[in-house]
Amino acid sequence: MSKAKVNHADCIGCGACAASCPVGAIKIEGDKAVINQEVCVGCGACVGTCPVSAIKQD
């Protein structure tokens, strides 16, 4: 499974993705979500919780 990526142009920094991440791979930095690719397990939990569809998996 591919890892999640954030489109920073669309991200509103709400933190829904960070709250949904079971491994703590997402942090809000500078009002945008940042995904630690080394920690991300590609589960997709964040993709479905983003209210503006700013997170995708390739």
Side-chain angles (χ1 to χ4, degrees):
M1 193 172 282
S2 62
K3 297 186 179 192
K5 295 183 181 165
V6 178
N7 178 342
H8 288 128
D10 294 336
C11 179
I12 59 172
C14 69
C17 56
S20 72
C21 182
V23 295
I26 307 173
K27 305 265 187 273
I28 303 299
E29 296 178 2
D31 295 328
K32 301 290 179 183
V34 176
I35 301 174
N36 182 334
Q37 294 295 310
E38 293 179 15
V39 178
C40 177
V41 295
C43 70
C46 57
V47 176
T49 59
C50 180
V52 295
S53 300
I55 302 179
K56 305 281 187 217
Q57 281 181 292
D58 293 333

